[in-house]
Amino acid sequence: NGIYNYSGGYWKSVKGNYSGVVNFDTIYNINHIYINPNNTNQIYATSLNGLIEFENDIPLKLYNKTNSPFRGTSAHGRDSIVIGSIVADVNNDLWFTNANTPNALHIKRSNGSWESIDFSAILGSKPNVGSLIIDKQKQKWIILPSNGLMVYKGEGEEITSDNVKIISTEEGRGALPSKEVYCIVEDLDGRIWAGTQKGVGVFFAPANVFTGNKFDAEKVYVQQDGSTQLLLETETVQAIAIDGANRKWFATLRSGVFLMSADGTKEIYHFTETNSPLLSNNVKSIAINSQNGEVFFATDKGIVSFRSTA
């Protein structure tokens, strides 16, 4: 049904047929929107048909297998391109993950040229790759659905044992709470927080991933009702957002949302559909308006926002 934009208290939509660029009536599953922080008039949307680029809310181009390195796999009677994430780096180069194809990572340079990185040597010919973040060390953290994480520290170079690391549940290899990783985020102190099927793991020393020093994820312990327990140990954490005070918002599959202190040890809020206007306890994602502290929760039953204090 197109793309919807909420601005100035009003909703507007971008849909229909933009002749010569894209006909939204033929586009399947628009599932990710990215606003370029270096140029907020430039917006990208992923779909199973490819990547759509917008300028000032007008579609400019559809990138697919005919004009870009994006590739797909046959599903539901059509060729489906699965783009898991979009991130801009400090050079305004755009990084994309592309599932089910050997070249699992693509780079659109600021000059318009494309580069691709082949991960088939370590992930097989049809690797399943998901969301991506770039940390302060310029390392690329990539979710491998059902298989943990992968970290790549190159800038486009071919993969080697020196620039790629697979992060698993084993001690000494990442010690994730679960291989089912749903989200990753870097906080204001440069720590990497991973939301999994079994709670949260924190990489306090992400710079150590390639040094041989200890970098395993650590669990956060919470004091609650006079006892010590692991942070959200029994929860599936689907999204994490960091507010202006470095506090952590956690979106869960069954228990609504939690706001925790910056170190994750103290619960500040716990919103559910029974104690708040939250539309559902199944919260898919969280976004924060850094200008006014408003926090948006996307649930399986719609969107609701909360005016927070940071």
Side-chain angles (χ1 to χ4, degrees), residues 29-304:
N29 290 37
I30 298 171
N31 51 36
H32 186 64
I33 304 292
Y34 183 74
I35 302 172
N36 188 341
N38 304 311
N39 177 9
T40 55
N41 292 320
Q42 187 178 61
I43 298 172
Y44 291 87
T46 68
S47 75
L48 293 186
N49 303 72
L51 177 76
I52 308 166
E53 180 181 358
F54 298 81
E55 189 79 28
N56 295 316
D57 299 335
I58 304 299
L60 289 184
K61 198 164 188 176
L62 172 65
Y63 295 95
N64 54 31
K65 65 181 182 180
T66 67
N67 61 0
S68 78
F70 292 124
R71 295 294 180 265
T73 184
S74 180
H76 310 296
R78 60 179 180 271
D79 197 35
S80 298
I81 298 172
V82 181
I83 303 169
S85 195
I86 311 169
V87 177
D89 65 17
V90 294
N91 300 316
N92 202 27
D93 296 331
L94 293 170
W95 295 72
F96 307 84
T97 55
N98 186 184
N100 306 318
T101 177
N103 294 330
L105 194 58
H106 305 300
I107 313 163
K108 184 176 183 287
R109 299 296 187 187
S110 56
N111 63 10
S113 65
W114 288 89
E115 296 177 24
S116 300
I117 306 171
D118 187 342
F119 286 91
S120 59
I122 58 171
L123 298 179
S125 61
K126 292 185 177 181
N128 189 10
V129 291
S131 296
L132 157 78
I133 67 168
I134 303 176
D135 68 15
K136 289 180 171 62
Q137 284 78 39
K138 300 182 181 180
Q139 298 175 140
K140 290 75 185 175
W141 295 71
I142 301 169
I143 292 177
L144 304 177
S146 301
N147 283 299
L149 296 167
M150 176 175 67
V151 185
Y152 169 67
K153 72 170 182 177
E155 293 299 318
E157 301 89 350
E158 292 184 6
I159 63 167
T160 69
S161 58
D162 294 325
N163 65 16
V164 173
K165 182 83 70 173
I166 301 297
I167 309 295
S168 73
T169 55
E170 299 175 33
E171 289 190 14
R173 298 185 62 188
L176 285 164
S178 166
K179 283 188 176 182
E180 294 282 355
V181 180
Y182 292 92
C183 56
I184 44 175
V185 64
E186 184 180 35
D187 73 10
L188 302 184
D189 293 326
R191 296 166 176 171
I192 305 295
W193 294 67
T196 79
Q197 191 179 45
K198 296 180 180 179
V200 179
V202 187
F203 294 90
F204 287 96
N208 286 349
V209 170
F210 292 96
T211 65
N213 296 323
K214 178 177 170 56
F215 69 91
D216 281 356
E218 297 183 29
K219 299 178 175 64
V220 177
Y221 291 88
V222 181
Q223 293 288 333
Q224 191 170 16
D225 299 326
S227 63
T228 302
Q229 53 188 309
L230 293 175
L231 176 62
L232 304 177
E233 181 183 19
T234 61
E235 302 291 346
T236 296
V237 178
Q238 301 189 116
I240 305 172
I242 311 297
D243 72 12
N246 206 24
R247 302 180 303 182
K248 280 69 184 176
W249 286 94
F250 297 102
T252 70
L253 176 65
R254 294 176 294 272
S255 300
V257 296
F258 295 81
L259 174 63
M260 306 296 294
S261 59
D263 62 2
T265 62
K266 181 181 178 182
E267 181 182 304
I268 299 168
Y269 294 128
H270 178 201
F271 295 141
T272 69
E273 60 186 67
T274 57
N275 70 4
S276 76
L278 193 67
L279 298 171
S280 168
N281 286 337
N282 182 0
V283 182
K284 302 286 190 177
S285 63
I286 305 175
I288 300 174
N289 182 340
S290 61
Q291 301 301 310
N292 62 11
E294 189 171 9
V295 185
F296 292 84
F297 308 111
T299 78
D300 61 338
K301 295 181 180 177
I303 298 172
V304 63

